[in-house]
């Protein structure tokens, strides 16, 4: 993930998290990256997430969206499923008084440029989760559910 603000970054963390998944779901790991920014009106922020999984030809990739969520899901021929997600441009716009200048969602890229319309302190988050060898449909869906829970709405 890259966050390129015209303004200052006040905090940046990367932490493992343990979302409370319903019975029958599991992830082998989940992490959340958070960048807090202090913006004045007119400041721009570019958020870009570009993914290139190792052995890219062995992964099926699909773009997914949920309520206020943009995600990329991965399934490997070896049986691993993973999901990477960030908040949607509409959510960022509504939550922080940002204006979407440009938003682009490609197969392996999520990118958005925002402009602050008021003094703002946006918090950018990216969550990723993985499950190896899911034994059921619930476990197969677990990474998607985990990243949705990990992102703080």
């Amino acid at each position: 993930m890259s966050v390129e603000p015209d303004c200052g970054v006040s905090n940046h963390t990367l932490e493992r998290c343990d979302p409370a998944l319903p019975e029958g779901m599991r992830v082998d790991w989940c992490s959340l990256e958070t960048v807090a920014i202090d913006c004045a009106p007119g400041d721009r922020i570019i958020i870009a997430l570009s993914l290139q999984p190792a052995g890219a030809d062995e992964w099926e990739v699909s773009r997914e969206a949920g309520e206020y969520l943009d995600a990329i899901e991965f399934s490997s021929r070896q049986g691993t499923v993973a999901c990477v997600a960030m908040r949607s441009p509409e959510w960022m716009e509504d939550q922080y008084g940002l204006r979407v200048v440009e938003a682009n969602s490609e197969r392996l890229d999520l990118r958005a440029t925002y402009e602050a319309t008021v003094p703002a302190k946006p918090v950018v988050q990216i969550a990723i989760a993985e499950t190896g060898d899911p034994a059921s449909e619930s476990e197969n869906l677990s990474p998607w559910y985990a990243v949705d829970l990990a992102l703080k709405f």
Side-chain angles (χ1 to χ4, degrees):
M1 170 176 81
S2 73
V3 178
E4 301 170 18
D6 287 346
C7 40
V9 172
S10 62
N11 191 21
H12 184 186
T13 61
L14 177 60
E15 60 187 320
R16 289 186 69 100
C17 53
D18 188 21
L21 296 171
E23 182 141 350
M25 291 188 145
R26 73 170 175 86
V27 291
D28 297 324
W29 60 268
C30 183
S31 64
L32 180 67
E33 185 170 7
T34 303
V35 179
I37 305 166
D38 293 321
C39 294
D43 285 345
R44 287 200 172 193
I45 306 163
I46 299 170
I47 302 168
L49 178 62
S50 295
L51 303 166
Q52 190 62 41
D57 58 332
E58 297 182 13
W59 292 88
E60 289 183 30
V61 178
S62 64
R63 291 274 321 171
E64 302 292 335
E67 187 173 354
Y68 298 124
L69 179 73
D70 281 345
I72 301 173
E73 289 186 312
F74 299 88
S75 298
S76 77
R77 293 187 185 130
Q78 288 75 31
T80 298
V81 293
C83 187
V84 179
M86 62 190 249
R87 295 173 178 136
S88 70
E90 297 80 17
W91 188 88
M92 294 289 290
E93 190 174 48
D94 292 345
Q95 185 70 25
Y96 296 116
L98 302 174
R99 181 178 67 82
V100 177
V101 175
E102 179 183 11
N104 181 13
S105 298
E106 299 294 327
R107 183 170 177 257
L108 290 172
D109 296 311
L110 301 172
R111 183 179 179 88
T113 302
Y114 303 95
E115 183 176 89
T117 59
V118 297
K121 296 183 183 288
V123 176
V124 178
Q125 292 188 317
I126 301 290
I128 184 169
E130 178 180 282
T131 301
D133 299 317
S136 66
E137 184 59 26
S138 291
E139 286 188 5
N140 194 53
L141 296 172
S142 296
W144 165 264
Y145 198 78
V147 297
D148 191 28
L149 290 174
L151 291 171
K152 312 282 191 289
F153 289 97

